[in-house]
Amino acid sequence: MYSFMNDYSEGAHPRILELLSKSNYEQNTGYGEDIHSNKAKDYIKKHLRNENVDIHFIPGGTQTNLLVISSFLRPHQCIIAAETGHVNVHETGAIEATGHKVVTVPSKDGKVTLSAIEQVLNYHTDEHMVQPKMVYISNSTELGTIYKKEELSALHQICKSKGLLLFLDGARIGSALTSKPNNLELPDIAGLVDVFYIGGTKNGALLGEALVICNQKLKEDFRYLIKQRGALMAKGFVTGIQFEALFQDNLFFELGSHANEMADKIALILKECGYSFYTEPCTNQLFPILPNSLLEKLSKDFLFSIQFKADDQNTVVRFVTSWATTLESVDALSNFFIKNSK
Amino acid sequence: MYSFMNDYSEGAHPRILELLSKSNYEQNTGYGEDIHSNKAKDYIKKHLRNENVDIHFIPGGTQTNLLVISSFLRPHQCIIAAETGHVNVHETGAIEATGHKVVTVPSKDGKVTLSAIEQVLNYHTDEHMVQPKMVYISNSTELGTIYKKEELSALHQICKSKGLLLFLDGARIGSALTSKPNNLELPDIAGLVDVFYIGGTKNGALLGEALVICNQKLKEDFRYLIKQRGALMAKGFVTGIQFEALFQDNLFFELGSHANEMADKIALILKECGYSFYTEPCTNQLFPILPNSLLEKLSKDFLFSIQFKADDQNTVVRFVTSWATTLESVDALSNFFIKNSK
Amino acid sequence: MYSFMNDYSEGAHPRILELLSKSNYEQNTGYGEDIHSNKAKDYIKKHLRNENVDIHFIPGGTQTNLLVISSFLRPHQCIIAAETGHVNVHETGAIEATGHKVVTVPSKDGKVTLSAIEQVLNYHTDEHMVQPKMVYISNSTELGTIYKKEELSALHQICKSKGLLLFLDGARIGSALTSKPNNLELPDIAGLVDVFYIGGTKNGALLGEALVICNQKLKEDFRYLIKQRGALMAKGFVTGIQFEALFQDNLFFELGSHANEMADKIALILKECGYSFYTEPCTNQLFPILPNSLLEKLSKDFLFSIQFKADDQNTVVRFVTSWATTLESVDALSNFFIKNSK
Amino acid sequence: MYSFMNDYSEGAHPRILELLSKSNYEQNTGYGEDIHSNKAKDYIKKHLRNENVDIHFIPGGTQTNLLVISSFLRPHQCIIAAETGHVNVHETGAIEATGHKVVTVPSKDGKVTLSAIEQVLNYHTDEHMVQPKMVYISNSTELGTIYKKEELSALHQICKSKGLLLFLDGARIGSALTSKPNNLELPDIAGLVDVFYIGGTKNGALLGEALVICNQKLKEDFRYLIKQRGALMAKGFVTGIQFEALFQDNLFFELGSHANEMADKIALILKECGYSFYTEPCTNQLFPILPNSLLEKLSKDFLFSIQFKADDQNTVVRFVTSWATTLESVDALSNFFIKNSK
């Protein structure tokens, strides 16, 4: 059985495990104030070409999302997110549990558009309604698409002019930044958003997201807020070491590239076999539209997820590749399609 | 420099790292529904001699505390905790952030007494005050003391008769259960409390606490609540594997015993040198009362924490040992005291 | 200037003011435990033909909504509401501020349908999403429509079979129950919903809503929750006296009838003048579709609210009548339309 | 039976009822944006000799407290209050329900001292503990005492120098400001605190507190927050009219004076009869220490509240007078003591 279910099935890249082992008996300071966490932050700042940001390591993505949103909004303020946004549908109301509404905008490709933001602003005009204060986007999105530099710049512009904060969920930023059509780099992002994170969990770490606070006004007291939400790990060095391994060289990007390459190969075959996609493939998440008749057979040897009905005969499914996806498994999947397509 | 600052300075016991490495390339189901997590739960249930509990792995202690308290109380209900309780002083208002008051009782040794509970109940009699609904205790306590079986049974009795839930924070239960004066075993605890946890972070794991829900009425929908608080890790197997390593044999208890033995040696020397203790030593946390004149010298070679003034000449300090404390460091500390005491 | 802006422009019906004056110097028990509140509850129970409910007087509607929802749901549970529901759009995120998501369903007429509920249930299937637990409806709805007995029975059925609570916001129940097409009575409602309220503010009181808890399981400790949300008024008798006046005879229904009659007259004229309505008129809120060209003229002598564009030439506006609406003002409005329509 | 239970037993001063009746049929704008609310604000500003404040009318005291505290603190921040503070003991955890801890300081007379504030600040030094950000005081206090001008100035100073907000709960400010030893006036208070309120409920209104925001930085978006907590009344003019009546002349102060005079008479007799007081009498709340043997007899004709045991033979009780307390009832109480004391 080969799994294309998600990008968090395997453990960590060996170089991460190695560094964890190597430093295992060091006596570190607790709560993320250790040497490894500091080194990791320095490495990331170099990649960002920006010394002027605050970096914090948070165990997981939902926790990072709820922490950012609840820390930077006043009680009456809300976020704007795509209907498909992770914070809207797949976090069991984590954002609302901190007191904030998620105002959604329709989105076919997982992205938030300028006109959607404007519509929300035009509608929310008085104190009887929540006040939009932050735009939440993810890159890559929940539908595998990415924001181009010009799109992110435009979002930056509208947010700045309307007094909105811009928050980029980078759970899959490794794949986004190494995607072929991508023209954004880490330093661009740090200049265009108020806060974002670099996802480790879905790009080769055991766990951990590196939260980057770019807006100076948002930096104050953030460690209090991490602690309060239960996200300040006693052994903070465990995530520090992992990001040290990922960013002391280019490992983070290599892992993203590998996942994308594997996905590209699958996408190519699928296209050659005549299948279309719900969204244009470019990252490690593929959303092909497959005939229902194929699904049972496919599921005998492959794990993947059913997304939704495309029409009566076809279904949108999801294949996900990762840093650990083997060429062997990709070949097996390719062969399946070659054999089973007309 | 030898550190006796805390029990979360080093990484993980080698057998844990080994199992993480060994299973690194397996493709696991996400969110804690993997084979390793299931095995770990089975092993723990065997140690509990109880099939009838629900077990969930949570990344950290504060998160577990806030999750338990916010999940099982209605909005108007509060917990009763010792003034020194971790939830009261060292979690940055994490409990209050979920909406619940922590009503405290004075405590010299970190424990909650029956009469303290009764006083709180007698005072909180109408709807103008919060309603006490849960008693929070920790074992070992923040002052290194432990609950004996008869004490826990008495707490169980009063909670049962008063309609209170009993929650035991076991961040340091490894040391508590392997303490010399201890007469409690895991199965006793599962029978006497409504919910408790087995701390991994402070007993040899990289991270993770095993939450055990004993009261049937509290089990429903708990995974929703874990997810909502950001504590459902995508790579749940990372904690599952660690608890598998800790409980497939007696590793968990061996690690607790080692920490206690190292602490016992230090306590013995300190007593021989004529020092007294704020609380009677029995677990891996020692609270000796040392002359102020000694502290600067001591801090040249040893890391430890200052707790509070005992009187004008003396200070209560804390030494903590762990699964990783070496005999060499203990000898060094012992020698320091032998040399520097009259 | 005549106002048809809303039903909370004037003070209270004279019989309410009279009773307030008459009892002004009595020394009442505080916090709603006074004789007048008790009498009012007894009168309402008689109207409900049901002794087996708990009644609490709450100052306002938003407060009642947030109180009910936050008291009866666990943290991971959400409500289902119409997109147009008051709790979704016009309470500044009051529900989310208590931690709960509002999952909305599309609605043309302000009502929640069975199939909409089923769709939400089919979509929310696992712990990564909030758990639907309560259906929120309002009667009359925000669009002036009402639920017929058969509709409410069907909602009751589906809620019962799916384990959902049914909550009816009755801020305008006075108008709903005295509407011509209505076939629901108070006792029906008490039998079909878990909790609802009888709105005083919009039906002749200075302030106050009578919350009726019908489901026995929801009754416990409710006064604690009222107090915690700041809704337990020291001079609780002020709302008690008002509901005493409204329900010691049929005043409450007479006031609803009057508002409806005034609205019926306006609706009739508008129909005769050839205008159509966004929703079929039947309560004290009318949503006629008027030509844009008429609006400026209309607004010289009349206050009303603009709702939204019907098309490029026409706008949906809202006229609201109340217990205090005079025949004179209705005649003035009628004359305007007779004169100004072709 | 004469009641000295509290100051919220009777309705409203006749001049308030009169103005409510007189304006009953006016068609007012909703949600507190009416002419009466605006007039009331202007009158209060005149009394404050300060145009530069924002005033909002809130239905009740607990609601005002929770609104102020939750609006002006970030999630990790707490308030400092006296152990006896209303927000700590008698609001069913309303403050914690909004996410904030109440850190208490011991207080014999209900007041918060400078040294108590300093102790809290010295203890709360890092991100593992909540961050003190606001000092909550009440004037008069829950024990009937008042802050002198020099005391409030000193609190102002320390708050300013430590970056703390100062919030004065004025539920009983009418009695405080008309107390004999008082040397504070409304303009002083507006200059010394960041936010406070002028209590109507306990000084002759049916309901309502006038919240005064003095600190410019706290003004923004406050109506959103009022709405979100359910405190923006549709018929906002109902509280507006009442404060218009209270402040268009000196009615508010006359009512406070009357309550104090009645209390003074009682205090004088009690002293003449040889009784001592738990706190020195000066406002409308008296805390005499009475022999237990007298209590049953006293309770035959008088309502009052038992506070706590003074010693085995004596009990601290509370008598409260109000704007509506009659000379007749005071004479009756006086006669009781004259007759029944040796």
PDB file of all heavy atoms in Angstrom, chain B residues 24-41:
ATOM      1  N   ASN B  24      10.834   5.580  11.551  1.00  0.00           N
ATOM      2  CA  ASN B  24      10.795   6.897  10.893  1.00  0.00           C
ATOM      3  C   ASN B  24      10.133   6.888   9.519  1.00  0.00           C
ATOM      4  O   ASN B  24       9.450   7.829   9.149  1.00  0.00           O
ATOM      5  CB  ASN B  24      12.217   7.463  10.784  1.00  0.00           C
ATOM      6  CG  ASN B  24      12.221   8.925  10.387  1.00  0.00           C
ATOM      7  OD1 ASN B  24      11.491   9.720  10.969  1.00  0.00           O
ATOM      8  ND2 ASN B  24      13.033   9.282   9.393  1.00  0.00           N
ATOM      9  N   TYR B  25      10.331   5.822   8.765  1.00  0.00           N
ATOM     10  CA  TYR B  25       9.805   5.823   7.390  1.00  0.00           C
ATOM     11  C   TYR B  25       8.473   5.103   7.231  1.00  0.00           C
ATOM     12  O   TYR B  25       7.955   4.988   6.121  1.00  0.00           O
ATOM     13  CB  TYR B  25      10.840   5.262   6.424  1.00  0.00           C
ATOM     14  CG  TYR B  25      11.929   6.284   6.134  1.00  0.00           C
ATOM     15  CD1 TYR B  25      13.172   6.192   6.742  1.00  0.00           C
ATOM     16  CD2 TYR B  25      11.675   7.353   5.272  1.00  0.00           C
ATOM     17  CE1 TYR B  25      14.155   7.139   6.498  1.00  0.00           C
ATOM     18  CE2 TYR B  25      12.652   8.299   5.021  1.00  0.00           C
ATOM     19  CZ  TYR B  25      13.890   8.191   5.633  1.00  0.00           C
ATOM     20  OH  TYR B  25      14.846   9.141   5.383  1.00  0.00           O
ATOM     21  N   GLU B  26       7.933   4.608   8.331  1.00  0.00           N
ATOM     22  CA  GLU B  26       6.584   4.030   8.238  1.00  0.00           C
ATOM     23  C   GLU B  26       5.599   5.125   7.840  1.00  0.00           C
ATOM     24  O   GLU B  26       5.776   6.280   8.192  1.00  0.00           O
ATOM     25  CB  GLU B  26       6.151   3.486   9.602  1.00  0.00           C
ATOM     26  CG  GLU B  26       6.950   2.309  10.081  1.00  0.00           C
ATOM     27  CD  GLU B  26       6.579   1.958  11.514  1.00  0.00           C
ATOM     28  OE1 GLU B  26       5.567   2.500  12.016  1.00  0.00           O
ATOM     29  OE2 GLU B  26       7.323   1.179  12.121  1.00  0.00           O
ATOM     30  N   GLN B  27       4.573   4.713   7.114  1.00  0.00           N
ATOM     31  CA  GLN B  27       3.532   5.695   6.774  1.00  0.00           C
ATOM     32  C   GLN B  27       2.369   5.533   7.734  1.00  0.00           C
ATOM     33  O   GLN B  27       1.592   4.577   7.642  1.00  0.00           O
ATOM     34  CB  GLN B  27       3.089   5.507   5.327  1.00  0.00           C
ATOM     35  CG  GLN B  27       4.189   5.938   4.350  1.00  0.00           C
ATOM     36  CD  GLN B  27       3.670   6.096   2.949  1.00  0.00           C
ATOM     37  OE1 GLN B  27       3.060   5.182   2.418  1.00  0.00           O
ATOM     38  NE2 GLN B  27       3.911   7.252   2.345  1.00  0.00           N
ATOM     39  N   ASN B  28       2.305   6.457   8.672  1.00  0.00           N
ATOM     40  CA  ASN B  28       1.311   6.357   9.731  1.00  0.00           C
ATOM     41  C   ASN B  28       0.049   7.165   9.423  1.00  0.00           C
ATOM     42  O   ASN B  28       0.104   8.165   8.710  1.00  0.00           O
ATOM     43  CB  ASN B  28       1.897   6.892  11.041  1.00  0.00           C
ATOM     44  CG  ASN B  28       2.841   5.909  11.676  1.00  0.00           C
ATOM     45  OD1 ASN B  28       2.448   4.819  12.055  1.00  0.00           O
ATOM     46  ND2 ASN B  28       4.117   6.284  11.755  1.00  0.00           N
ATOM     47  N   THR B  29      -1.043   6.717   9.987  1.00  0.00           N
ATOM     48  CA  THR B  29      -2.261   7.515   9.987  1.00  0.00           C
ATOM     49  C   THR B  29      -2.015   8.760  10.844  1.00  0.00           C
ATOM     50  O   THR B  29      -1.259   8.705  11.799  1.00  0.00           O
ATOM     51  CB  THR B  29      -3.412   6.690  10.605  1.00  0.00           C
ATOM     52  OG1 THR B  29      -3.482   5.457   9.888  1.00  0.00           O
ATOM     53  CG2 THR B  29      -4.733   7.427  10.502  1.00  0.00           C
ATOM     54  N   GLY B  30      -2.634   9.857  10.466  1.00  0.00           N
ATOM     55  CA  GLY B  30      -2.399  11.106  11.194  1.00  0.00           C
ATOM     56  C   GLY B  30      -3.227  11.240  12.465  1.00  0.00           C
ATOM     57  O   GLY B  30      -4.064  10.391  12.776  1.00  0.00           O
ATOM     58  N   TYR B  31      -2.972  12.305  13.185  1.00  0.00           N
ATOM     59  CA  TYR B  31      -3.800  12.747  14.312  1.00  0.00           C
ATOM     60  C   TYR B  31      -3.993  11.706  15.415  1.00  0.00           C
ATOM     61  O   TYR B  31      -5.065  11.597  15.993  1.00  0.00           O
ATOM     62  CB  TYR B  31      -5.151  13.248  13.786  1.00  0.00           C
ATOM     63  CG  TYR B  31      -4.973  14.436  12.886  1.00  0.00           C
ATOM     64  CD1 TYR B  31      -5.175  14.346  11.520  1.00  0.00           C
ATOM     65  CD2 TYR B  31      -4.530  15.651  13.411  1.00  0.00           C
ATOM     66  CE1 TYR B  31      -4.961  15.445  10.688  1.00  0.00           C
ATOM     67  CE2 TYR B  31      -4.326  16.752  12.599  1.00  0.00           C
ATOM     68  CZ  TYR B  31      -4.539  16.639  11.233  1.00  0.00           C
ATOM     69  OH  TYR B  31      -4.325  17.714  10.427  1.00  0.00           O
ATOM     70  N   GLY B  32      -2.934  10.905  15.642  1.00  0.00           N
ATOM     71  CA  GLY B  32      -2.967  10.019  16.800  1.00  0.00           C
ATOM     72  C   GLY B  32      -3.765   8.750  16.621  1.00  0.00           C
ATOM     73  O   GLY B  32      -4.012   8.021  17.590  1.00  0.00           O
ATOM     74  N   GLU B  33      -4.178   8.465  15.386  1.00  0.00           N
ATOM     75  CA  GLU B  33      -4.937   7.231  15.173  1.00  0.00           C
ATOM     76  C   GLU B  33      -4.057   6.142  14.551  1.00  0.00           C
ATOM     77  O   GLU B  33      -4.529   5.256  13.830  1.00  0.00           O
ATOM     78  CB  GLU B  33      -6.156   7.537  14.303  1.00  0.00           C
ATOM     79  CG  GLU B  33      -7.074   8.539  15.017  1.00  0.00           C
ATOM     80  CD  GLU B  33      -8.416   8.701  14.365  1.00  0.00           C
ATOM     81  OE1 GLU B  33      -8.450   8.983  13.152  1.00  0.00           O
ATOM     82  OE2 GLU B  33      -9.436   8.558  15.071  1.00  0.00           O
ATOM     83  N   ASP B  34      -2.788   6.192  14.861  1.00  0.00           N
ATOM     84  CA  ASP B  34      -1.810   5.270  14.289  1.00  0.00           C
ATOM     85  C   ASP B  34      -1.569   4.063  15.200  1.00  0.00           C
ATOM     86  O   ASP B  34      -2.001   4.040  16.356  1.00  0.00           O
ATOM     87  CB  ASP B  34      -0.497   6.034  14.114  1.00  0.00           C
ATOM     88  CG  ASP B  34      -0.002   6.558  15.436  1.00  0.00           C
ATOM     89  OD1 ASP B  34      -0.527   7.594  15.931  1.00  0.00           O
ATOM     90  OD2 ASP B  34       0.901   5.922  16.032  1.00  0.00           O
ATOM     91  N   ILE B  35      -0.852   3.116  14.652  1.00  0.00           N
ATOM     92  CA  ILE B  35      -0.554   1.861  15.357  1.00  0.00           C
ATOM     93  C   ILE B  35       0.245   2.092  16.641  1.00  0.00           C
ATOM     94  O   ILE B  35      -0.006   1.470  17.666  1.00  0.00           O
ATOM     95  CB  ILE B  35       0.228   0.928  14.403  1.00  0.00           C
ATOM     96  CG1 ILE B  35      -0.713   0.487  13.274  1.00  0.00           C
ATOM     97  CG2 ILE B  35       0.787  -0.268  15.137  1.00  0.00           C
ATOM     98  CD1 ILE B  35      -0.001  -0.246  12.154  1.00  0.00           C
ATOM     99  N   HIS B  36       1.224   3.002  16.574  1.00  0.00           N
ATOM    100  CA  HIS B  36       2.068   3.217  17.756  1.00  0.00           C
ATOM    101  C   HIS B  36       1.272   3.828  18.907  1.00  0.00           C
ATOM    102  O   HIS B  36       1.426   3.416  20.048  1.00  0.00           O
ATOM    103  CB  HIS B  36       3.259   4.113  17.393  1.00  0.00           C
ATOM    104  CG  HIS B  36       4.174   3.457  16.418  1.00  0.00           C
ATOM    105  ND1 HIS B  36       5.048   2.457  16.777  1.00  0.00           N
ATOM    106  CD2 HIS B  36       4.336   3.630  15.077  1.00  0.00           C
ATOM    107  CE1 HIS B  36       5.710   2.052  15.708  1.00  0.00           C
ATOM    108  NE2 HIS B  36       5.290   2.743  14.662  1.00  0.00           N
ATOM    109  N   SER B  37       0.449   4.799  18.584  1.00  0.00           N
ATOM    110  CA  SER B  37      -0.381   5.396  19.636  1.00  0.00           C
ATOM    111  C   SER B  37      -1.290   4.334  20.247  1.00  0.00           C
ATOM    112  O   SER B  37      -1.485   4.286  21.475  1.00  0.00           O
ATOM    113  CB  SER B  37      -1.217   6.547  19.069  1.00  0.00           C
ATOM    114  OG  SER B  37      -0.369   7.583  18.623  1.00  0.00           O
ATOM    115  N   ASN B  38      -1.838   3.476  19.397  1.00  0.00           N
ATOM    116  CA  ASN B  38      -2.715   2.430  19.919  1.00  0.00           C
ATOM    117  C   ASN B  38      -1.960   1.442  20.799  1.00  0.00           C
ATOM    118  O   ASN B  38      -2.443   1.041  21.862  1.00  0.00           O
ATOM    119  CB  ASN B  38      -3.412   1.711  18.770  1.00  0.00           C
ATOM    120  CG  ASN B  38      -4.465   2.614  18.143  1.00  0.00           C
ATOM    121  OD1 ASN B  38      -4.964   3.535  18.796  1.00  0.00           O
ATOM    122  ND2 ASN B  38      -4.791   2.355  16.884  1.00  0.00           N
ATOM    123  N   LYS B  39      -0.769   1.073  20.355  1.00  0.00           N
ATOM    124  CA  LYS B  39       0.048   0.181  21.188  1.00  0.00           C
ATOM    125  C   LYS B  39       0.354   0.835  22.528  1.00  0.00           C
ATOM    126  O   LYS B  39       0.255   0.206  23.582  1.00  0.00           O
ATOM    127  CB  LYS B  39       1.379  -0.106  20.476  1.00  0.00           C
ATOM    128  CG  LYS B  39       1.359  -1.308  19.556  1.00  0.00           C
ATOM    129  CD  LYS B  39       2.814  -1.664  19.224  1.00  0.00           C
ATOM    130  CE  LYS B  39       2.902  -2.554  18.007  1.00  0.00           C
ATOM    131  NZ  LYS B  39       4.294  -2.710  17.549  1.00  0.00           N
ATOM    132  N   ALA B  40       0.765   2.079  22.457  1.00  0.00           N
ATOM    133  CA  ALA B  40       1.116   2.792  23.695  1.00  0.00           C
ATOM    134  C   ALA B  40      -0.066   2.803  24.655  1.00  0.00           C
ATOM    135  O   ALA B  40       0.076   2.581  25.858  1.00  0.00           O
ATOM    136  CB  ALA B  40       1.562   4.220  23.374  1.00  0.00           C
ATOM    137  N   LYS B  41      -1.266   3.048  24.102  1.00  0.00           N
ATOM    138  CA  LYS B  41      -2.461   3.050  24.957  1.00  0.00           C
ATOM    139  C   LYS B  41      -2.685   1.677  25.590  1.00  0.00           C
ATOM    140  O   LYS B  41      -3.032   1.569  26.771  1.00  0.00           O
ATOM    141  CB  LYS B  41      -3.686   3.464  24.129  1.00  0.00           C
ATOM    142  CG  LYS B  41      -3.663   4.938  23.742  1.00  0.00           C
ATOM    143  CD  LYS B  41      -4.814   5.297  22.817  1.00  0.00           C
ATOM    144  CE  LYS B  41      -4.592   6.698  22.242  1.00  0.00           C
ATOM    145  NZ  LYS B  41      -5.683   7.099  21.327  1.00  0.00           N
TER     146      LYS B  41
END
